[in-house]
Amino acid sequence: MTEPIENHKNSVKTVVVPAAGLGTRFLPATKRVPKELLPVVDTPGIELIAEEAAQLGASRLAIITAPQKSDVLAHFEAYPELVNTLRERGKLDQLRKVERAEKLIDAVPVKQDQPLGLGHAVGLAEAVLDDDEDVVAVMLPDDIVMPMGVMDEMARLRAEKGGSVLCAFEVPHDEVSNYGVFDVEECGEDTVRKVVGMVEKPDADEAPSNFVATGRYLLDRSIFDALRRITPGKGGELQLTDAIELLIEEGHPVHIVIHDGKRHDLGNPGGFIRACVDFGLDHPEYGPGLKRAIKEMLAERESKKRRG
Ligand code: G1P
């Protein structure tokens, strides 16, 4: 039984995390290990998302999983054998690390049997919402948005403007076709725009702006009704972007917060390595050694290049 919505900071109870993908870009690592459990330094990406969801005020993480990915949920379950062994050995720091995920948030599974798209995945989460939830947050686990806290800003904007609020980054024009792209109008604040249209992965010359969706959404509950009414779009999949576009067409207010920070894409090895280096450099134990090692590796390559 979850607490009533009044007890939730930002009026958000549920964060939906679509995590049913096969992680083909990470093979062979993802042959047996779900991509969401790969460690950024020592913490699985999904636990970073759970931390952000808990910080937003949510108490439930609705994890959309494929049948073969039950280990993602298991990461949020108690593990008494390991806990007992660590306690017996007096390893209390490690014990805290083992128990952290399950204490952060209540993870609930939502099964997606077929990969029909992000819109389909998010739509399935409606079944776990309580009647008192007017808004649902969506966090894509491939996207790490830093510093943490942009969702708080989005919740403040939603309290002011109503409707739905999304996080946007401004990217170079030749990158827009990898994202959902916003058509926007100024609305008096530097970091906020009103969204008048949204299109999934357009060709660069047809993109309405350089503002793109980056994995953080605060969506009015009416999104579920819109998701039931869309038809397959880009790539033959049911796209969350198309449901948002439908809401905009019907006069539902949608705004973006343009995030002034950085973002890591854990969805491919190149982005993942960068995230590990960035988190590693900030790590109190590993940071100083990593910095030295990177400098040495770069210097070694430079001197090899000079020697020809
Ligand atoms: C998804 C969304 C897209 C969004 C992107 C952010 O695409 O469909 O609108 O801009 O995430 O990472 P995907 O990267 O899953 O293809």
mmCIF file of all heavy atoms in Angstrom, residues 25 118 140 142-143 178-181 198-201 212-215 217 239-241 263 265, ligand 1:
data_model
loop_
_atom_site.group_PDB
_atom_site.id
_atom_site.type_symbol
_atom_site.label_atom_id
_atom_site.label_comp_id
_atom_site.label_asym_id
_atom_site.label_seq_id
_atom_site.Cartn_x
_atom_site.Cartn_y
_atom_site.Cartn_z
ATOM 1 N N ARG A 25 23.665 -3.266 -28.574
ATOM 2 C CA ARG A 25 24.906 -2.522 -28.799
ATOM 3 C C ARG A 25 25.991 -2.877 -27.781
ATOM 4 O O ARG A 25 27.135 -2.504 -27.917
ATOM 5 C CB ARG A 25 24.631 -1.006 -28.764
ATOM 6 C CG ARG A 25 24.007 -0.526 -30.066
ATOM 7 C CD ARG A 25 23.750 0.945 -30.052
ATOM 8 N NE ARG A 25 22.683 1.306 -29.126
ATOM 9 C CZ ARG A 25 22.229 2.538 -28.969
ATOM 10 N NH1 ARG A 25 22.755 3.514 -29.645
ATOM 11 N NH2 ARG A 25 21.245 2.786 -28.127
ATOM 12 N N LEU A 118 8.703 2.587 -27.361
ATOM 13 C CA LEU A 118 8.706 3.306 -26.082
ATOM 14 C C LEU A 118 7.281 3.698 -25.657
ATOM 15 O O LEU A 118 6.931 3.611 -24.478
ATOM 16 C CB LEU A 118 9.588 4.562 -26.224
ATOM 17 C CG LEU A 118 9.710 5.469 -25.011
ATOM 18 C CD1 LEU A 118 10.303 4.724 -23.810
ATOM 19 C CD2 LEU A 118 10.576 6.687 -25.337
ATOM 20 N N LEU A 140 14.315 7.592 -18.746
ATOM 21 C CA LEU A 140 14.943 6.586 -19.599
ATOM 22 C C LEU A 140 16.310 6.247 -19.008
ATOM 23 O O LEU A 140 17.146 7.145 -18.813
ATOM 24 C CB LEU A 140 15.095 7.117 -21.029
ATOM 25 C CG LEU A 140 13.814 7.598 -21.709
ATOM 26 C CD1 LEU A 140 14.075 7.910 -23.188
ATOM 27 C CD2 LEU A 140 12.687 6.591 -21.577
ATOM 28 N N ASP A 142 18.923 4.930 -20.131
ATOM 29 C CA ASP A 142 20.127 5.201 -20.928
ATOM 30 C C ASP A 142 20.653 6.610 -20.688
ATOM 31 O O ASP A 142 21.823 6.883 -20.936
ATOM 32 C CB ASP A 142 19.810 5.096 -22.430
ATOM 33 C CG ASP A 142 19.774 3.659 -22.913
ATOM 34 O OD1 ASP A 142 20.089 2.762 -22.114
ATOM 35 O OD2 ASP A 142 19.430 3.447 -24.088
ATOM 36 N N ASP A 143 19.775 7.496 -20.261
ATOM 37 C CA ASP A 143 20.153 8.906 -20.124
ATOM 38 C C ASP A 143 20.450 9.245 -18.670
ATOM 39 O O ASP A 143 19.579 9.141 -17.808
ATOM 40 C CB ASP A 143 19.000 9.813 -20.595
ATOM 41 C CG ASP A 143 18.854 9.813 -22.100
ATOM 42 O OD1 ASP A 143 19.890 9.808 -22.801
ATOM 43 O OD2 ASP A 143 17.711 9.825 -22.591
ATOM 44 N N ASN A 178 18.718 11.997 -34.080
ATOM 45 C CA ASN A 178 18.760 10.872 -33.128
ATOM 46 C C ASN A 178 17.706 11.000 -32.032
ATOM 47 O O ASN A 178 17.642 10.147 -31.139
ATOM 48 C CB ASN A 178 20.130 10.832 -32.415
ATOM 49 C CG ASN A 178 21.255 10.614 -33.387
ATOM 50 O OD1 ASN A 178 21.126 9.791 -34.281
ATOM 51 N ND2 ASN A 178 22.340 11.351 -33.225
ATOM 52 N N TYR A 179 16.928 12.065 -32.069
ATOM 53 C CA TYR A 179 16.088 12.393 -30.911
ATOM 54 C C TYR A 179 14.656 12.774 -31.296
ATOM 55 O O TYR A 179 14.364 13.033 -32.459
ATOM 56 C CB TYR A 179 16.683 13.607 -30.183
ATOM 57 C CG TYR A 179 18.071 13.413 -29.653
ATOM 58 C CD1 TYR A 179 19.177 13.839 -30.379
ATOM 59 C CD2 TYR A 179 18.283 12.812 -28.417
ATOM 60 C CE1 TYR A 179 20.462 13.673 -29.884
ATOM 61 C CE2 TYR A 179 19.563 12.644 -27.909
ATOM 62 C CZ TYR A 179 20.651 13.076 -28.648
ATOM 63 O OH TYR A 179 21.909 12.910 -28.155
ATOM 64 N N GLY A 180 13.821 12.901 -30.258
ATOM 65 C CA GLY A 180 12.543 13.581 -30.402
ATOM 66 C C GLY A 180 12.847 15.078 -30.362
ATOM 67 O O GLY A 180 13.554 15.539 -29.458
ATOM 68 N N VAL A 181 12.349 15.835 -31.352
ATOM 69 C CA VAL A 181 12.720 17.251 -31.482
ATOM 70 C C VAL A 181 11.492 18.135 -31.243
ATOM 71 O O VAL A 181 10.390 17.827 -31.713
ATOM 72 C CB VAL A 181 13.322 17.527 -32.884
ATOM 73 C CG1 VAL A 181 13.799 18.971 -32.982
ATOM 74 C CG2 VAL A 181 14.470 16.566 -33.169
ATOM 75 N N MET A 198 5.994 18.314 -31.681
ATOM 76 C CA MET A 198 7.115 17.427 -31.366
ATOM 77 C C MET A 198 7.182 16.346 -32.433
ATOM 78 O O MET A 198 6.153 15.782 -32.827
ATOM 79 C CB MET A 198 6.919 16.809 -29.983
ATOM 80 C CG MET A 198 8.128 16.044 -29.502
ATOM 81 S SD MET A 198 7.911 15.420 -27.822
ATOM 82 C CE MET A 198 9.488 14.598 -27.623
ATOM 83 N N VAL A 199 8.396 16.053 -32.910
ATOM 84 C CA VAL A 199 8.526 15.059 -33.967
ATOM 85 C C VAL A 199 9.683 14.107 -33.643
ATOM 86 O O VAL A 199 10.734 14.531 -33.164
ATOM 87 C CB VAL A 199 8.662 15.738 -35.361
ATOM 88 C CG1 VAL A 199 9.623 16.901 -35.323
ATOM 89 C CG2 VAL A 199 9.049 14.770 -36.450
ATOM 90 N N GLU A 200 9.452 12.822 -33.860
ATOM 91 C CA GLU A 200 10.442 11.804 -33.508
ATOM 92 C C GLU A 200 11.474 11.639 -34.622
ATOM 93 O O GLU A 200 11.124 11.356 -35.773
ATOM 94 C CB GLU A 200 9.738 10.465 -33.223
ATOM 95 C CG GLU A 200 10.655 9.318 -32.822
ATOM 96 C CD GLU A 200 11.306 9.478 -31.441
ATOM 97 O OE1 GLU A 200 10.959 10.413 -30.702
ATOM 98 O OE2 GLU A 200 12.174 8.651 -31.120
ATOM 99 N N LYS A 201 12.722 11.846 -34.275
ATOM 100 C CA LYS A 201 13.870 11.609 -35.159
ATOM 101 C C LYS A 201 13.658 12.097 -36.603
ATOM 102 O O LYS A 201 13.698 11.305 -37.553
ATOM 103 C CB LYS A 201 14.234 10.125 -35.139
ATOM 104 C CG LYS A 201 14.524 9.616 -33.725
ATOM 105 C CD LYS A 201 15.190 8.267 -33.680
ATOM 106 C CE LYS A 201 15.545 7.860 -32.267
ATOM 107 N NZ LYS A 201 14.579 7.092 -31.530
ATOM 108 N N VAL A 212 16.103 19.021 -28.051
ATOM 109 C CA VAL A 212 15.714 17.605 -28.148
ATOM 110 C C VAL A 212 15.361 17.027 -26.785
ATOM 111 O O VAL A 212 15.836 17.499 -25.747
ATOM 112 C CB VAL A 212 16.855 16.766 -28.788
ATOM 113 C CG1 VAL A 212 17.222 17.312 -30.153
ATOM 114 C CG2 VAL A 212 18.080 16.672 -27.876
ATOM 115 N N ALA A 213 14.529 15.990 -26.832
ATOM 116 C CA ALA A 213 14.103 15.313 -25.596
ATOM 117 C C ALA A 213 15.233 14.418 -25.097
ATOM 118 O O ALA A 213 15.844 13.682 -25.870
ATOM 119 C CB ALA A 213 12.869 14.459 -25.878
ATOM 120 N N THR A 214 15.499 14.484 -23.787
ATOM 121 C CA THR A 214 16.607 13.698 -23.254
ATOM 122 C C THR A 214 16.223 12.904 -22.021
ATOM 123 O O THR A 214 16.789 13.077 -20.945
ATOM 124 C CB THR A 214 17.804 14.609 -22.912
ATOM 125 O OG1 THR A 214 17.292 15.759 -22.280
ATOM 126 C CG2 THR A 214 18.576 14.983 -24.130
ATOM 127 N N GLY A 215 15.232 12.066 -22.193
ATOM 128 C CA GLY A 215 15.026 11.015 -21.205
ATOM 129 C C GLY A 215 14.394 11.367 -19.875
ATOM 130 O O GLY A 215 14.386 10.547 -18.962
ATOM 131 N N TYR A 217 10.732 12.947 -18.410
ATOM 132 C CA TYR A 217 9.390 13.412 -18.769
ATOM 133 C C TYR A 217 8.516 13.457 -17.522
ATOM 134 O O TYR A 217 8.583 12.544 -16.686
ATOM 135 C CB TYR A 217 8.713 12.438 -19.739
ATOM 136 C CG TYR A 217 9.501 12.034 -20.972
ATOM 137 C CD1 TYR A 217 10.566 11.142 -20.897
ATOM 138 C CD2 TYR A 217 9.145 12.510 -22.226
ATOM 139 C CE1 TYR A 217 11.273 10.749 -22.044
ATOM 140 C CE2 TYR A 217 9.835 12.122 -23.376
ATOM 141 C CZ TYR A 217 10.900 11.243 -23.270
ATOM 142 O OH TYR A 217 11.592 10.851 -24.398
ATOM 143 N N GLN A 239 5.364 5.391 -30.678
ATOM 144 C CA GLN A 239 6.306 6.383 -30.160
ATOM 145 C C GLN A 239 5.661 7.267 -29.091
ATOM 146 O O GLN A 239 4.575 7.821 -29.311
ATOM 147 C CB GLN A 239 6.815 7.274 -31.304
ATOM 148 C CG GLN A 239 7.630 6.534 -32.357
ATOM 149 C CD GLN A 239 8.973 6.018 -31.832
ATOM 150 O OE1 GLN A 239 9.406 6.380 -30.726
ATOM 151 N NE2 GLN A 239 9.627 5.164 -32.602
ATOM 152 N N LEU A 240 6.359 7.435 -27.958
ATOM 153 C CA LEU A 240 5.899 8.348 -26.908
ATOM 154 C C LEU A 240 5.774 9.766 -27.487
ATOM 155 O O LEU A 240 4.823 10.501 -27.189
ATOM 156 C CB LEU A 240 6.902 8.319 -25.747
ATOM 157 C CG LEU A 240 6.578 9.177 -24.535
ATOM 158 C CD1 LEU A 240 5.230 8.812 -23.934
ATOM 159 C CD2 LEU A 240 7.668 9.055 -23.467
ATOM 160 N N THR A 241 6.729 10.127 -28.339
ATOM 161 C CA THR A 241 6.703 11.445 -28.986
ATOM 162 C C THR A 241 5.371 11.693 -29.695
ATOM 163 O O THR A 241 4.806 12.789 -29.606
ATOM 164 C CB THR A 241 7.865 11.527 -30.015
ATOM 165 O OG1 THR A 241 9.090 11.481 -29.297
ATOM 166 C CG2 THR A 241 7.806 12.796 -30.843
ATOM 167 N N ARG A 263 24.955 15.495 -19.981
ATOM 168 C CA ARG A 263 24.172 14.273 -20.124
ATOM 169 C C ARG A 263 25.104 13.169 -20.572
ATOM 170 O O ARG A 263 26.010 13.406 -21.374
ATOM 171 C CB ARG A 263 23.119 14.543 -21.184
ATOM 172 C CG ARG A 263 22.475 13.335 -21.738
ATOM 173 C CD ARG A 263 21.445 13.709 -22.767
ATOM 174 N NE ARG A 263 20.984 12.487 -23.409
ATOM 175 C CZ ARG A 263 21.396 12.082 -24.596
ATOM 176 N NH1 ARG A 263 22.233 12.795 -25.301
ATOM 177 N NH2 ARG A 263 20.964 10.936 -25.085
ATOM 178 N N ASP A 265 25.103 9.217 -22.209
ATOM 179 C CA ASP A 265 24.270 8.221 -22.876
ATOM 180 C C ASP A 265 24.847 6.840 -22.565
ATOM 181 O O ASP A 265 25.848 6.427 -23.142
ATOM 182 C CB ASP A 265 24.278 8.504 -24.387
ATOM 183 C CG ASP A 265 23.439 7.490 -25.160
ATOM 184 O OD1 ASP A 265 22.816 6.615 -24.525
ATOM 185 O OD2 ASP A 265 23.410 7.584 -26.399
HETATM 186 C C1 G1P B 1 14.101 7.885 -27.159
HETATM 187 C C2 G1P B 1 12.939 8.783 -27.579
HETATM 188 C C3 G1P B 1 13.448 10.099 -28.156
HETATM 189 C C4 G1P B 1 14.381 10.766 -27.162
HETATM 190 C C5 G1P B 1 15.523 9.814 -26.760
HETATM 191 C C6 G1P B 1 16.369 10.412 -25.648
HETATM 192 O O1 G1P B 1 14.777 7.452 -28.310
HETATM 193 O O2 G1P B 1 12.127 8.090 -28.513
HETATM 194 O O3 G1P B 1 12.369 10.959 -28.464
HETATM 195 O O4 G1P B 1 14.905 11.966 -27.701
HETATM 196 O O5 G1P B 1 14.996 8.557 -26.284
HETATM 197 O O6 G1P B 1 17.437 9.607 -25.321
HETATM 198 P P1 G1P B 1 15.826 6.226 -28.293
HETATM 199 O O7 G1P B 1 17.144 6.813 -27.875
HETATM 200 O O8 G1P B 1 15.309 5.236 -27.320
HETATM 201 O O9 G1P B 1 15.863 5.717 -29.700
#
